[in-house]
Amino acid sequence: MKKQLIISVGREYGSGGHEIAEKLAKHYGIQMLDHNLLDEIAAERNLDMKNLEGLDEKYKNPFSSRTVRGYSSSPEENLYLIQFDYLQKKAAAGESFVIVGRCSETILKSYEGLVSVFVLADMDKKIERIMRLYHLTQNLAVKKIREKDRKRKRYHDCFCKEKWGNARNYDLCVNSSRLGVDDTAAVLIDYIDKRQQIETK
Amino acid sequence: MIAQVFAAIIFIAMFAFIVTEIVERHVVSLICALLTLILVFGVGMHSMSAVVDTINLRSIFTVEFWYHSAKTAGSGSGINWETIAFVFGMMVMVEGMARVGFFRWLCMRIAKLVKYQIIPIFITFMVLSTILSMFIDSITVILFLAAVTIELSRLLKFHPVPMILPEIFCANLGGSATMCGDPPNIIIGTSLGYSFMDFVTNTGVIAGVSLIAVLIYFYLAFKKELLLETGTSVDYGSLPSPESIIMDKRGFLVSSVIFASAILLLVTHAQTGLTVSAIGLIIAAVTLMTSGKHALALLKKVDYKTILFFIGLFVVIGGLEQTGILEIMAGFIGRISGGNRMIMIAIIIWLSAVASAFVDNIPFATTMIPIIKSLSAAYGIDLSILAWTLAMGTDIGGSATPIGASANVVGIATASREGYVIKWGLYCKKMLPATVMVVLISMLMIIFRYL
């Protein structure tokens, strides 16, 4: 039987983490989950996607929500919990997949087949990438990167004990500026293969 | 003066920490209670008697804790042990009923009685939510009602949110009808010496009239959405039979008898002389004795955090009361109203409703009790009128926003966890008009009936 492989990719905005995750999913021939996770959940439960949009990877506002006996009125927290349950169920069923962000390195920590990676990059490389991809000026790219990373950090740290991007929280933290997206993905494949070899022994 | 400053700072800090949820609310209230004992009573007032009065342990060892020979007000300032004992007892009873499947059975039984027709389920579940919340806490009512609604919505193919929102509203409305329906009412009743029937014949009447208005309002507001998917084929065979839900037949019968006895004891407590604390403790003892090996599990399930929150809260409010701050606030309300009783009622009901829409209504109501007492004494207005005004304002105001009352939070969370996310916009669009309508009905009924 093929061993379960779950790759969790945390990423800074503009680091190419998402592209790296796609390459890993393609290489191992496993499902890639990012914002399409919501589509999957909505399809499985026959839900209206319109209702869930705008809540994905959003932090909970403490002033507009309240918790009573462990129940929260926060739509963001409830969506996080839905995703939590869904990922847990998928992992418990023995499925292999790549999951981008969504606190997955914490949610799936107990699974042996989990490889957690955090992709970061130098600011100048991130600006260059965002300017190129979204046709933005330098100032707007900087603004967008700061805003997105601030929100990702707030989302992660709102629901997880460990801090976003803290090396202790991941198996591997890698700066994609050094080798570029393709070679970084290649290094990660090498690492994952070695991990799988060790665990199979 | 220094004691007043300490008391005010502790009180404001407690509210701020409760709202932000940085620390759990029972921890906040207990720390603030400790600070009140040390800073307000110790450093500020140098008064050991204030500490003893506020902790109020001696009240437990009085006959009045168990039996009232005549209608008397509760133990005054400090920890209201009567409320604590009653809340504890009802929690044990409700856990016992939940264990045997009572609530789920009741919901499914009613759905079957109306032949699984969507609009009749919609109406009967609103009425059921109101009636159950008159006797047990609205959190438990909504927990079961919302879960069954979602289960039925999948089988009968309707959107559950248009049914869950009215259930939440009715749980809060039902809570306002009796002394034991909502924590503010228990505190108002035990602090001011009102009986179960006093509430039923006053706030209960207002809640009854409001229920009719609310049924019409929600029917008009949600009819279209509920009937959107009618005509889709439904497999009635997949619906669980109500009898199959009962986990333990003997336990079910016993729980039903205990529940009926609790209602009977509460309805007649003004005649029998039994206090609500005695009723709560008797009910808890009988539930535990008849639960056999499940007794320990029931005791473990009791929400001790809420009980601790109450204890801490009573001490902090005791600090405000003993330092005279609440009298100053009462004087302020009196001056604004110019002593006019109608304006005073309007201020109390709308202030309570707006405050309860955003902050926990339990500390708010606890704070307001000494204020309405002062207002009553200073302006010669019947205390009971102000008590019913405060009860309706705090109980109903909580329905206006997703964070206003515990039932709202639990209902929203239950629906959202199943993917039916309820955001502020959707919630307020339907619930705010209903809240304003019922507060208005309450205010007018109070004015026309009592003034």
Side-chain angles (χ1 to χ4, degrees):
Chain A
M1 204 178 92
K2 214 175 163 189
K3 207 170 157 40
Q4 184 180 33
L5 173 64
I6 303 169
I7 306 171
S8 155
V9 182
R11 74 290 182 217
E12 282 184 352
Y13 189 69
S15 67
H18 191 271
E19 201 182 329
I20 291 170
E22 278 177 331
K23 287 182 187 298
L24 295 176
K26 198 175 167 194
H27 176 83
Y28 289 103
I30 56 179
Q31 191 187 10
M32 161 89 172
L33 291 170
D34 48 11
H35 52 266
N36 63 351
L37 177 64
L38 272 193
D39 299 323
E40 274 213 14
I41 293 170
E44 189 201 60
R45 299 188 183 194
N46 196 21
L47 300 171
D48 184 3
M49 260 303 286
K50 261 197 291 180
N51 202 20
L52 304 176
E53 276 167 7
L55 298 172
D56 194 18
E57 283 204 296
K58 292 278 159 62
Y59 55 85
K60 165 185 164 182
N61 183 343
F63 293 102
S64 64
S65 61
R66 208 177 126 191
T67 308
V68 174
R69 296 193 202 170
Y71 293 91
S72 170
S73 68
S74 157
E76 295 83 6
E77 185 169 0
N78 285 309
L79 183 65
Y80 164 79
L81 291 170
I82 291 174
Q83 291 182 335
F84 177 98
D85 290 341
Y86 188 80
L87 289 174
Q88 282 278 352
K89 209 172 99 188
K90 217 171 166 63
E95 287 186 45
S96 292
F97 53 91
V98 175
I99 167 83
V100 179
R102 289 149 189 89
C103 303
S104 49
E105 86 292 334
T106 304
I107 293 173
L108 303 169
K109 207 159 208 146
S110 59
Y111 288 89
E112 236 180 67
L114 175 76
V115 177
S116 58
V117 180
F118 187 82
V119 183
L120 59 144
D122 294 340
M123 193 58 177
D124 56 335
K125 298 282 185 209
K126 291 198 286 187
I127 295 169
E128 196 181 287
R129 186 178 167 87
I130 295 303
M131 284 172 70
R132 177 167 47 84
L133 286 177
Y134 300 103
H135 311 292
L136 294 177
T137 61
Q138 186 172 353
N139 281 346
L140 283 175
V142 171
K143 211 174 147 191
K144 193 166 184 177
I145 291 166
R146 289 205 173 127
E147 180 68 10
K148 286 271 186 185
D149 279 349
R150 187 184 64 81
K151 284 184 177 169
R152 280 180 186 172
K153 183 175 166 50
R154 236 179 127 177
Y155 162 76
H156 182 280
D157 296 352
C158 172
F159 299 118
C160 306
K161 209 173 157 192
E162 298 288 347
K163 300 289 172 215
W164 183 73
N166 182 340
R168 290 190 181 281
N169 199 25
Y170 307 88
D171 293 331
L172 211 62
C173 289
V174 58
N175 186 333
S176 64
S177 310
R178 301 288 169 265
L179 299 175
V181 167
D182 288 339
D183 285 338
T184 303
V187 168
L188 290 175
I189 288 168
D190 192 33
Y191 171 80
I192 293 165
D193 288 346
K194 286 214 163 67
R195 273 275 301 267
Q196 288 217 304
Q197 279 166 22
I198 293 167
E199 280 157 20
T200 317
K201 276 178 192 173
Chain B
M1 179 66 187
I2 186 80
Q4 285 183 338
V5 172
F6 278 141
I9 291 173
I10 292 169
F11 179 72
I12 292 165
M14 181 183 77
F15 255 104
F17 276 102
I18 289 174
V19 169
T20 56
E21 292 186 348
I22 297 167
V23 188
E24 283 196 78
R25 67 175 188 167
H26 68 286
V27 179
V28 173
S29 82
L30 287 176
I31 291 173
C32 289
L34 188 65
L35 290 173
T36 301
L37 294 177
I38 298 169
L39 297 175
V40 179
F41 300 143
V43 178
M45 293 169 69
H46 309 288
S47 169
M48 195 56 201
S49 65
V51 175
V52 175
D53 286 348
T54 303
I55 293 177
N56 204 14
L57 265 177
R58 63 170 176 249
S59 70
I60 300 174
F61 305 101
T62 58
V63 178
E64 283 74 32
F65 185 77
W66 304 92
Y67 180 79
H68 281 320
S69 50
K71 191 167 159 181
T72 50
S75 40
S77 162
I79 301 175
N80 186 334
W81 291 105
E82 213 175 316
T83 298
I84 305 285
F86 179 70
V87 169
F88 169 79
M90 293 309 265
M91 280 178 178
V92 174
M93 180 191 77
V94 166
E95 288 302 335
M97 291 166 77
R99 183 188 70 79
V100 294
F102 180 88
F103 299 109
R104 207 162 158 251
W105 168 84
L106 189 60
C107 297
M108 284 299 186
R109 182 82 216 147
I110 286 173
K112 194 178 174 185
L113 271 176
V114 296
K115 299 187 172 63
Y116 300 109
Q117 296 299 303
I118 295 170
I119 295 296
I121 291 177
F122 174 69
I123 303 286
T124 50
F125 275 21
M126 273 200 271
V127 176
L128 177 67
S129 178
T130 310
I131 294 173
L132 279 179
S133 299
M134 287 167 68
F135 304 101
I136 56 178
D137 73 295
S138 54
I139 298 178
T140 308
V141 173
I142 286 302
L143 211 52
F144 284 94
L145 213 45
V148 171
T149 303
I150 290 167
E151 192 179 342
L152 287 173
S153 77
R154 291 205 176 115
L155 298 165
L156 303 175
K157 313 268 189 307
F158 65 87
H159 198 287
V161 173
M163 210 178 272
I164 290 173
L165 290 180
E167 286 165 7
I168 292 172
F169 193 93
C170 288
N172 293 327
L173 182 63
S176 71
T178 66
M179 181 175 164
C180 60
D182 207 13
N185 292 20
I186 305 170
I187 300 168
I188 292 170
T190 51
S191 304
L192 304 178
Y194 297 122
S195 72
F196 185 87
M197 285 313 286
D198 287 335
F199 273 88
V200 172
T201 51
N202 291 284
T203 58
V205 172
I206 300 172
V209 171
S210 302
L211 177 64
I212 297 167
V214 162
L215 286 171
I216 297 168
Y217 166 80
F218 281 123
Y219 174 73
L220 295 174
F222 286 124
K223 187 186 160 195
K224 254 191 198 165
E225 287 171 63
L226 280 166
L227 296 177
L228 213 58
E229 289 182 59
T230 38
T232 333
S233 62
V234 175
D235 175 16
Y236 289 98
S238 59
L239 291 159
S241 85
E243 288 66 34
S244 69
I245 289 162
I246 301 169
M247 324 281 275
D248 165 2
K249 277 199 175 147
R250 187 194 150 270
F252 178 84
L253 275 175
V254 172
S255 280
S256 305
V257 171
I258 293 174
F259 183 44
S261 310
I263 294 174
L264 188 69
L265 286 174
L266 283 167
V267 171
T268 57
H269 84 120
Q271 286 75 40
T272 60
L274 283 176
T275 59
V276 288
S277 44
I279 295 170
L281 293 176
I282 292 168
I283 292 297
V286 175
T287 304
L288 292 172
M289 281 190 289
T290 52
S291 299
K293 59 179 182 183
H294 303 289
L296 196 63
L298 288 189
L299 271 178
K300 280 183 185 166
K301 279 193 168 177
V302 168
D303 183 12
Y304 292 104
K305 288 179 180 178
T306 295
I307 290 174
L308 290 173
F309 169 65
F310 274 122
I311 293 174
L313 181 66
F314 284 132
V315 175
V316 176
I317 306 297
L320 285 180
E321 205 179 345
Q322 300 246 6
T323 52
I325 289 185
L326 297 180
E327 272 179 37
I328 298 170
M329 285 167 72
F332 183 65
I333 294 176
R335 275 197 301 281
I336 292 178
S337 63
N340 182 310
R341 298 194 300 172
M342 208 186 285
I343 296 175
M344 217 179 275
I345 284 170
I347 290 175
I348 292 171
I349 202 163
W350 288 104
L351 176 72
S352 309
V354 173
S356 301
F358 298 98
V359 296
D360 203 327
N361 65 2
I362 302 169
F364 183 81
T366 316
T367 315
M368 284 297 287
I369 290 168
I371 293 180
I372 61 168
K373 264 182 175 171
S374 298
L375 283 171
S376 167
Y379 296 94
I381 180 167
D382 189 338
L383 181 57
S384 68
I385 301 174
L386 298 182
W388 314 141
T389 309
L390 175 63
M392 291 313 293
T394 49
D395 296 339
I396 303 302
S399 292
T401 68
I403 57 170
S406 302
N408 316 2
V409 176
V410 172
I412 289 170
T414 308
S416 300
R417 284 295 298 274
E418 294 298 326
Y420 303 102
V421 174
I422 301 172
K423 298 176 192 168
W424 266 72
L426 167 70
Y427 183 95
C428 294
K429 193 176 156 192
K430 302 291 184 184
M431 302 286 264
L432 187 59
T435 310
V436 173
M437 178 178 76
V438 173
V439 175
L440 205 58
I441 290 172
S442 308
M443 185 182 77
L444 294 175
M445 282 185 74
I446 290 168
I447 290 172
F448 285 115
R449 185 171 169 187
Y450 305 110
L451 298 187

